[in-house]
Amino acid sequence: MARLKVGARLKVGILISGRGSNMRALIAACRAPNFPAEIVLVISNEPGAAGLGRAKDAGIATRVIDHRGFNKERPAFERALTAALTEAGVEFVCNAGFMRLLTDTFVSHWRDRLINIHPSLLPAFRGLDTHKRALAAGARLHGCTVHFVRVAMDEGPIIVQAAVPVLAGDDEAKLAARVLAAEHRCYPLALRLAAEKRLRVEGERCLIDGAPAQEAVLMNPPPILG
Ligand code: GRF
């Protein structure tokens, strides 16, 4: 995979389209003095994205690159994204609720330096409406995944996952809130691991140097004794 510079804090760009709560979790994590990454640019393809104001409030540089200005020319839109990221010195990109499909133009350029968060335990429930679909399927565990981006939607080596229980009485909003809280913990962890250069992609699986083993079994419902 592409080599990242040793020593300095990793310069990160975030791509958003909406409210940007994962972006805020990343910004908050990067504020810690010993965090090995810093956010240098937030780009939104949506001029009205609420996350833009939140990034500005946090003192982060923002850009709007509206895909509609590119006459449906995805590669041209993606070249504009890469140009803005490169100009800002970005070394690593986090998609955080970025609602545009990316083609090979972008994905190849940023290969193994581009990650995404998805609100399901991939490879289950790729695409949209994941919480609704998990409820409809009667899943007892649901969750989120941070993964390296590949051209196929919601595919790519998995870095971090968190599982949450699906509880009786859950509706889409309750389940989404439980998953979102887990997302806000997973995404900073994945970025930290990347910035510490502890991730290796081999054969489209991501290996984590020094990750402690966790043998606990997650069960929902929990085992009933007696
Ligand atoms: C999150 O659920 C993320 O997993 C998905 O889009 C949503 C973005 O939410 N890709 P936010 O903009 O980070 O609040």
Side-chain angles (χ1 to χ4, degrees):
M1 59 189 285
R3 293 193 72 81
L4 303 169
K5 273 186 243 151
V6 179
R9 299 217 298 164
L10 183 69
K11 289 185 165 45
V12 176
I14 304 181
L15 304 184
I16 64 167
S17 300
R19 68 188 162 183
S21 72
N22 278 290
M23 172 204 76
R24 277 195 291 166
L26 293 173
I27 291 172
C30 286
R31 283 217 183 96
N34 60 352
F35 198 83
E38 60 180 318
I39 313 299
V40 296
L41 180 65
V42 169
I43 301 179
S44 174
N45 67 304
E46 289 290 350
L52 282 170
R54 294 182 176 136
K56 280 184 201 150
D57 290 347
I60 311 262
T62 62
R63 296 268 302 257
V64 173
I65 301 181
D66 188 339
H67 58 282
R68 285 163 287 239
F70 292 85
N71 211 12
K72 303 212 166 125
E73 289 284 336
R74 276 184 202 271
F77 167 64
E78 293 176 8
R79 280 194 293 273
L81 290 178
T82 292
L85 292 163
T86 305
E87 192 187 314
V90 167
E91 301 166 289
F92 195 89
V93 181
C94 294
N95 289 356
F98 183 64
M99 301 304 284
R100 300 301 298 166
L101 288 178
L102 291 164
T103 74
D104 198 42
T105 302
F106 194 82
V107 174
S108 293
H109 182 91
W110 294 99
R111 190 178 171 89
D112 295 342
R113 297 183 298 146
L114 170 63
I115 64 177
N116 178 51
I117 187 155
H118 180 74
S120 78
L121 289 170
L122 291 174
F125 307 123
R126 295 185 172 114
L128 298 173
D129 297 325
T130 57
H131 311 307
K132 191 172 168 183
R133 288 156 61 208
L135 285 168
R140 297 226 178 263
L141 293 170
H142 184 41
C144 61
T145 303
V146 183
H147 63 98
F148 285 106
V149 174
R150 296 294 184 254
V151 168
M153 186 182 62
D154 301 326
E155 258 192 53
I158 290 170
I159 304 167
V160 177
Q161 293 188 303
V164 302
V166 180
L167 301 178
D170 267 355
D171 56 18
E172 222 179 310
K174 285 182 191 158
L175 184 55
R178 195 174 305 121
V179 172
L180 193 64
E183 292 184 40
H184 296 163
R185 296 175 64 187
C186 283
Y187 217 174
L189 172 61
L191 180 57
R192 172 186 282 282
L193 292 171
E196 289 176 345
K197 297 153 190 69
R198 291 167 63 184
L199 304 180
R200 265 181 305 133
V201 177
E202 281 182 14
E204 286 304 82
R205 287 176 67 219
C206 177
L207 308 180
I208 305 178
D209 291 335
Q214 175 163 275
E215 296 195 6
V217 175
L218 295 174
M219 286 176 72
N220 180 35
I224 298 161
L225 298 177

